Amino acid sequence: MLEQKEKPEQYHPALRPRRPSTLNSSQQSPHATHWWRCASQAQLQPSRRRCLLPPFWRPKAPKSKRYGSSARLHCPRAPPAFCIGSVVREHYLRDDIYCGAPFCKVCDVAAARLGSSTSTIIIVDTNVVLHQIDLLENPAIDDVVVLSVVLEEVKNKNLSVYNRLRALCSNSQRRFFVFSNEYHKDTYVKIESGETPNDRNDRAIRVAAQWYQNHLGSAVKVLLITNDRENKKKAIQDGIPAETVESYVRSLGQPALLDLIVQPPSEDVTMEDAEDLRPSKRKTIYPEHKPMSEITSGLHRGIYHQGKLRVNRYNPFEAYVGSESIGDEITVYGRANMNRAFDGDIVAVELLPQDRWQEEKSLAIANDEEEEEEDDVHLAPSSADDAPRVTNILQAGEKDATPSRPSGRVIGIIKRNWHSYCGSLDPMPMPAGEGGIAHALFVSKDRRIPKIRIQTRQLGNLLDKRIIVAVDSWDRLSRHPSGHYVVLIENDIDARPFSSQVLACLPPLPWSVSAEDIANPIRQDLRHLRVFSVDPPGCKDIDDALHCTLLPSGNFEVGVHIADVTNFVHPGTPLDDEAAQRGTSVYLVERRIDMLPKPLTEDICSLRSDVERLTFSVIWLVFFSGQAVDQSVLAVRIRLMDPLTTDLRNMNALAKKFQIDTETHDPLDIDGIQAQQKMLEPLIQTATAVGLCLDVTSSKALADSLDQAVGDDPYFNKLIRILATRCMTQAVYFCSGDLSPPEFFHYGLAAPVYTHFTSPIRRYADVIVHRLLAASLGICKLPDVFQDRPRLTGVADNLNYRHKNAQMASRASVELHTLIYFRKRPTDTEARILKIRSNGFIVFVPKYGIEGPVYLTSRGQKGGGEWIIDEQQQKIKKANGKVSYGVLETVRIHMEVKEPQPNRPKLELTLI
């Protein structure tokens, strides 16, 4: 949980003083001599409740020579029910904001970022940045002016793209320059009567392009890049050279760059004619999405239901949407009902008539030949967000039974979850000629993702190779979404070397505790304690350490010491921006991708032996019985040393006082949180089938029941715990202002409020918490992000995205090495049945920690009456009753790597 503090001026954030949004701070001269001011007035509407502005709000008139905007408020004396205020906003403009061109004869060229010999300077509009960021990141694109109006729009619309754009603008190896057009006297434009904000911003972009053209004269060509028909038309009318993205890229003479261009929504429209939106005569495949206004109204009236779409890993034609409004999951069958929604999208769903609920009476392991989907054997997923759901499978002959789970169809996408996907192209013949455009279908290795249509001029180079593709759009006239080939790492993991700007933020080596830190009265000196780490030999990024001292009273003093990373990672610096964007370190089988540079992770912040380090420490006074009676949170200075045997024995003696979860090794002396019966239905159903009684009234009761769940099979308890974990959704980071307190609960830990701070070297979430701690201890002031809830929410969203991607990358790394291991080692081994399906079952292989499908019928068949499912007993048996298989039973399987298509090997499991 990320805490957030309210600020007094929360009533009107628009009136809050702020500086110009710019990355090139050096272009803001401290010696400005000319200032202009433009003001606008807005009337606050009468209210029958209360005045919108509290009595204490009295913004002062702005001082002269001050950056940004300010405001004055006049609120006449009036009854509280009818208070009318007059707000005056003042916007300060300047004439000394430089253009960034090194050959300019007017501006100061000390901060110039553009090329000295360039023939063309390009100015991009907001939509070009939002949709073509992959192209802009290519080194072939340079000498780009990013206007502050564009930067602000991108920040408000897509924080991920905004961070990538900021990285480009701050990279000294690239020639991207931010021009503060909103604060220059010649480029600032006021919104006109009847003009929309978007039209005003487009006009501001054209005005800035015209200014650059006049300012630089014939020394260079200024080109506006836009795919907006009206914007391009008006620019040409004003005498501003303007081109579409594809037209400009073609002029560069690098055909490979054309593959990076995001294609328009309709396949009938080429990028060259992006403005010519002619109606298509093709057949409509998917219904049109409802407009957001209609969706919002339907959600309020209970007609539609909102939730996150989760596609079944084993059957990509079946998905689930968890709906709080009806208290159950809605099943969505088939691509048509999914209506172009991707796994992870936030969607609006309409319930189907009850007679159409759960039309597929038994759930099979999908292997649709038309789609040529592959069957994955993979690491066992750990939560409900990854694992396929258990649906109510009807027994043969129960055609008239009423399905218990509602079915629905997607009528709109509220928030997309598109990102980059790893996979390969469908085999296809090479087109005639060289360098022509080929239309190919990309198949993601994640079978939950539909095939993606791409255009490429590099078909010969891309066939039979793993590539990365990003989704651009999905037109309702197309069976497949459209995308483009990009050069990225799978799961959107940034493994690029840290830039020189980031490395410049690091203190020089060798580093030692400064005199300022030693003299700081807030930071206590605990170097007299015997502090040690328990990390394995060879570990370099050590961010936590312990001490355990036996006191004369017989009690213990226990301390947990966490590296003070925030002492070196300051808010708003390139180092902090990079860490916030990466979000987490990524651990692969033979590699670690760090969130922070190695001088920090392995030296300056690492709690290594025999060196002094700065930490945040939590110290408890603990009775010998294990009860903690006092707790302190401190900023301290420590020195690590090797532990004595006495220290380890003390820790071990104290640990024995706690009841430990045998699976997670976490203490269990915690109060329970009431469980949601619906959430645990799959677990209860399986437990009943195997004769196990579980108490699910609270998380504590469930934990006790799981401890007592034992059987003849040594893996029985582990399997039950796996099924229990999958009933729980994955924990996420959030801003406390976004949810109500009851939603803070962490069911798995049985904690009403939970956050963590123990790994700031590898988790940016812990850096956020450390800054809260530092502010509460008086070490430093609270950063501005904690007073900006939308921004903090964006940080939390990015952390969730990066955390999930890191998990997926780590899992994919293990799966890849598992595949390599079994390639030349066909193996027979034991497996346990986890789920029953109409044409087979899903098994878990304990020895290797993987799971996958085992077929009882030929591929593509759904059982055909040969096998009958007994849902009550969770068994599948032959119609003659001679052979049956039940959930959690042990079976022998054969594991072997096969390659049905070139460069697409997979591990197949077959029953022995």
Side-chain angles (χ1 to χ4, degrees):
M1 182 183 66
L2 305 178
E3 283 293 334
Q4 180 248 2
K5 296 186 179 295
E6 298 291 341
K7 50 186 180 294
E9 64 269 35
Q10 190 68 26
Y11 294 88
H12 275 266
L15 305 183
R16 187 170 64 251
R18 58 187 178 185
R19 290 180 180 269
S21 176
T22 176
L23 297 180
N24 304 106
S25 57
S26 58
Q27 72 189 54
Q28 304 290 353
S29 170
H31 307 293
T33 56
H34 298 89
W35 296 79
W36 284 261
R37 183 178 73 180
C38 55
S40 61
Q41 290 190 348
Q43 295 292 325
L44 299 179
Q45 297 299 320
S47 170
R48 291 188 177 274
R49 296 179 180 174
R50 58 191 174 97
C51 181
L52 294 177
L53 298 179
F56 60 79
W57 180 255
R58 294 289 186 269
K60 297 180 180 180
K63 299 178 181 179
S64 61
K65 296 186 179 181
R66 182 179 178 182
Y67 294 102
S69 58
S70 186
R72 295 175 297 177
L73 170 71
H74 169 67
C75 188
R77 293 185 178 274
F82 296 94
C83 183
I84 300 177
S86 176
V87 177
V88 180
R89 295 189 179 96
E90 297 177 333
H91 193 93
Y92 289 89
L93 304 176
R94 301 168 54 165
D95 66 348
D96 63 340
I97 299 177
Y98 309 130
C99 67
F103 46 81
C104 180
K105 299 179 180 179
V106 179
C107 297
D108 184 350
V109 298
R113 292 288 301 275
L114 303 175
S116 57
S117 59
T118 182
S119 60
T120 303
I121 291 176
I122 65 174
I123 296 177
V124 291
D125 69 5
T126 304
N127 284 328
V128 169
V129 174
L130 288 172
H131 299 131
Q132 311 292 344
I133 188 65
D134 292 327
L135 175 66
L136 294 177
E137 288 178 330
N138 191 284
I141 308 297
D142 256 328
D143 296 312
V144 179
V145 172
V146 179
L147 303 176
S148 60
V149 63
V150 171
L151 196 68
E152 193 65 25
E153 272 197 296
V154 172
K155 179 180 179 180
N156 294 331
K157 292 183 178 181
N158 191 318
L159 189 60
S160 176
V161 173
Y162 170 75
N163 288 329
R164 292 167 68 180
L165 181 61
R166 286 193 63 177
L168 278 174
C169 295
S170 61
N171 187 347
S172 61
Q173 305 301 315
R174 301 298 302 276
R175 300 195 296 273
F176 278 66
F177 180 78
V178 177
F179 178 69
S180 297
N181 66 300
E182 293 288 69
Y183 296 93
H184 195 289
K185 72 179 184 66
D186 295 329
T187 57
Y188 173 76
V189 298
K190 291 176 59 178
I191 191 168
E192 297 176 349
S193 177
E195 189 176 38
T196 66
N198 284 338
D199 289 341
R200 181 264 172 198
N201 291 343
D202 286 343
R203 184 163 58 89
I205 294 171
R206 295 194 300 273
V207 168
Q210 184 77 64
W211 179 86
Y212 260 92
Q213 191 176 54
N214 297 334
H215 181 74
L216 297 176
S218 60
V220 69
K221 177 183 178 182
V222 177
L223 180 64
L224 175 62
I225 304 297
T226 177
N227 280 338
D228 185 283
R229 178 180 59 181
E230 287 299 317
N231 199 20
K232 178 184 174 185
K233 179 180 178 182
K234 291 179 180 179
I236 294 175
Q237 290 175 350
D238 294 339
I240 304 170
E243 293 186 24
T244 62
V245 174
E246 183 173 359
S247 175
Y248 173 71
V249 172
R250 285 184 183 278
S251 69
L252 298 178
Q254 299 186 39
L257 292 179
L258 294 170
D259 286 357
L260 295 176
I261 298 178
V262 173
Q263 300 299 318
S266 174
E267 295 175 10
D268 289 333
V269 183
T270 64
M271 287 298 298
E272 190 66 42
D273 298 315
E275 307 88 13
D276 187 14
L277 300 178
R278 297 169 295 177
S280 174
K281 296 181 180 180
R282 289 177 297 142
K283 179 182 177 182
T284 299
I285 298 176
Y286 296 102
E288 189 173 1
H289 289 149
K290 303 288 185 185
M292 191 55 64
S293 58
E294 185 175 338
I295 291 176
T296 303
S297 175
L299 291 174
H300 285 308
R301 291 185 293 156
I303 299 175
Y304 304 142
H305 309 277
Q306 176 179 327
K308 182 170 75 171
L309 185 102
R310 299 191 311 280
V311 178
N312 191 324
R313 184 182 293 273
Y314 297 100
N315 185 352
F317 306 103
E318 179 181 78
Y320 309 92
V321 177
S323 171
E324 294 182 0
S325 56
I326 64 173
D328 199 355
E329 285 188 328
I330 301 171
T331 308
V332 182
Y333 289 113
R335 295 270 191 235
N337 285 333
M338 291 184 197
N339 194 8
R340 297 167 287 161
F342 268 57
D343 179 68
D345 285 354
I346 305 299
V347 299
V349 178
E350 179 183 46
L351 292 182
L352 297 173
Q354 190 165 345
D355 59 355
R356 295 174 58 190
W357 284 10
Q358 204 164 337
E359 292 179 346
E360 294 186 19
K361 299 303 180 182
S362 63
L363 180 61
I365 308 169
N367 187 38
D368 191 35
E369 304 211 351
E370 180 183 353
E371 290 285 334
E372 296 178 7
E373 301 281 356
E374 62 178 320
D375 308 306
D376 288 342
V377 176
H378 50 265
L379 289 182
S382 58
S383 72
D385 287 337
D386 299 318
R389 309 295 284 180
V390 176
T391 57
N392 293 320
I393 305 171
L394 300 180
Q395 299 182 35
E398 293 186 1
K399 296 182 179 180
D400 298 329
T402 302
S404 61
R405 175 163 292 165
S407 298
R409 65 185 184 96
V410 174
I411 53 88
I413 311 294
I414 297 173
K415 184 178 180 182
R416 280 291 190 188
N417 187 46
W418 287 345
H419 51 86
S420 300
Y421 303 98
C422 179
S424 56
L425 298 181
D426 254 0
M428 60 177 293
M430 289 291 297
E434 291 290 336
I437 298 178
H439 296 267
L441 284 178
F442 166 83
V443 181
S444 171
K445 74 180 192 65
D446 183 349
R447 67 196 308 258
R448 294 172 295 181
I449 306 304
K451 291 183 179 181
I452 302 170
R453 186 188 307 276
I454 69 168
Q455 294 182 10
T456 180
R457 294 162 179 78
Q458 308 176 64
L459 185 63
N461 295 330
L462 301 184
L463 282 173
D464 299 336
K465 293 180 181 178
R466 288 286 191 186
I467 65 172
I468 304 293
V469 163
V471 180
D472 303 330
S473 61
W474 196 344
D475 193 275
R476 65 194 185 100
L477 305 177
S478 172
R479 189 176 300 278
H480 305 286
S482 298
H484 66 278
Y485 162 68
V486 296
V487 181
L488 287 175
I489 296 177
E490 183 180 355
N491 295 315
D492 197 11
I493 303 299
D494 188 353
R496 295 173 297 180
F498 290 98
S499 67
S500 57
Q501 289 85 358
V502 170
L503 297 177
C505 298
L506 303 178
L509 296 176
W511 178 87
S512 60
V513 178
S514 66
E516 181 183 355
D517 289 322
I518 294 175
N520 189 342
I522 298 176
R523 194 174 292 277
Q524 298 190 22
D525 187 352
L526 298 184
R527 289 178 297 168
H528 62 281
L529 296 175
R530 193 161 48 245
V531 179
F532 56 90
S533 74
V534 290
D535 290 273
C539 182
K540 296 181 179 180
D541 56 337
I542 305 172
D543 47 18
D544 55 77
L546 308 165
H547 85 265
C548 182
T549 304
L550 180 62
L551 303 176
S553 61
N555 300 323
F556 291 97
E557 181 185 87
V558 178
V560 174
H561 309 272
I562 309 300
D564 184 1
V565 174
T566 53
N567 192 69
F568 309 96
V569 182
H570 303 294
T573 61
L575 176 60
D576 182 56
D577 293 340
E578 183 73 16
Q581 177 64 17
R582 295 193 179 208
T584 181
S585 294
V586 182
Y587 292 85
L588 307 179
V589 172
E590 296 178 339
R591 185 183 180 192
R592 186 185 76 230
I593 303 173
D594 290 317
M595 180 185 78
L596 294 168
K598 279 184 168 54
L600 278 182
T601 62
E602 297 184 357
D603 189 344
I604 299 172
C605 292
S606 182
L607 304 184
R608 299 182 294 117
S609 181
D610 297 322
V611 293
E612 294 183 12
R613 290 293 180 257
L614 303 178
T615 69
F616 282 107
S617 301
V618 183
I619 298 176
W620 293 271
L621 175 62
V622 184
F623 287 160
F624 189 77
S625 62
Q627 180 184 3
V629 294
D630 191 19
Q631 174 180 306
S632 301
V633 181
L634 309 169
V636 305
R637 179 163 54 114
I638 63 171
R639 183 181 183 89
L640 276 79
M641 58 190 70
D642 293 332
L644 299 178
T645 305
T646 304
D647 299 317
L648 300 179
R649 285 177 177 172
N650 288 340
M651 292 290 289
N652 188 49
L654 191 58
K656 290 180 178 179
K657 305 298 179 182
F658 295 92
Q659 182 185 359
I660 302 297
D661 188 311
T662 57
E663 177 71 15
T664 66
H665 304 290
D666 292 328
L668 292 176
D669 58 334
I670 44 182
D671 296 330
I673 294 177
Q674 187 174 0
Q676 296 181 8
Q677 195 77 9
K678 283 278 185 183
M679 180 178 72
L680 298 173
E681 271 187 0
L683 174 64
I684 297 172
Q685 187 179 45
T686 300
T688 303
V690 297
L692 179 65
C693 182
L694 295 177
D695 184 353
V696 296
T697 55
S698 72
S699 55
K700 177 65 166 62
L702 176 60
D704 292 337
S705 295
L706 292 177
D707 283 340
Q708 299 168 10
V710 294
D712 297 334
D713 186 347
Y715 290 105
F716 181 84
N717 186 267
K718 182 179 181 66
L719 295 173
I720 291 294
R721 289 182 182 277
I722 288 175
L723 296 176
T725 303
R726 291 185 182 179
C727 293
M728 308 171 195
T729 56
Q730 191 172 22
V732 297
Y733 301 110
F734 64 93
C735 170
S736 61
D738 291 340
L739 300 178
S740 61
E743 296 176 284
F744 292 2
F745 293 163
H746 192 299
Y747 181 82
L749 295 178
V753 180
Y754 169 75
T755 191
H756 50 66
F757 85 121
T758 56
S759 300
I761 286 178
R762 61 183 179 89
R763 288 192 304 231
Y764 191 77
D766 296 42
V767 174
I768 293 288
V769 178
H770 274 225
R771 286 177 178 156
L772 288 169
L773 283 174
S776 64
L777 293 175
I779 297 177
C780 60
K781 69 175 185 178
L782 198 67
D784 292 340
V785 65
F786 292 98
Q787 301 182 34
D788 188 342
R789 192 170 80 183
R791 185 178 166 195
L792 192 61
T793 298
V795 171
D797 290 343
N798 182 63
L799 290 178
N800 290 323
Y801 173 69
R802 297 295 174 185
H803 175 66
K804 184 174 182 179
N805 284 0
Q807 287 183 319
M808 293 171 62
S810 180
R811 181 180 299 169
S813 175
V814 175
E815 289 173 358
L816 173 62
H817 283 77
T818 301
L819 200 65
I820 295 173
Y821 174 82
F822 283 108
R823 183 183 287 274
K824 296 181 180 179
R825 297 179 180 87
T827 303
D828 294 343
T829 187
E830 286 188 345
R832 270 68 176 176
I833 298 174
L834 285 182
K835 297 178 182 68
I836 300 295
R837 294 293 182 259
S838 63
N839 57 345
F841 39 76
I842 309 299
V843 298
F844 172 69
V845 186
K847 185 176 181 179
Y848 302 106
I850 61 176
E851 68 176 73
V854 173
Y855 291 90
L856 295 177
T857 63
S858 300
R859 300 294 179 87
Q861 294 185 9
K862 308 297 182 183
E866 181 183 358
W867 294 90
I868 301 174
I869 289 181
D870 184 343
E871 185 199 356
Q872 191 70 25
Q873 298 296 323
Q874 286 284 286
K875 288 187 176 182
I876 181 172
K877 55 185 178 182
K878 273 197 169 183
N880 57 17
K882 292 183 178 180
V883 181
S884 67
Y885 300 97
V887 69
L888 300 190
E889 284 187 6
T890 301
V891 293
R892 293 280 298 175
I893 62 167
H894 176 73
M895 305 171 61
E896 185 174 356
V897 174
K898 296 186 178 180
E899 196 166 349
Q901 296 184 22
N903 294 299
R904 295 178 64 185
K906 59 181 181 179
L907 184 61
E908 287 191 356
L909 312 181
T910 54
L911 191 65
I912 298 178

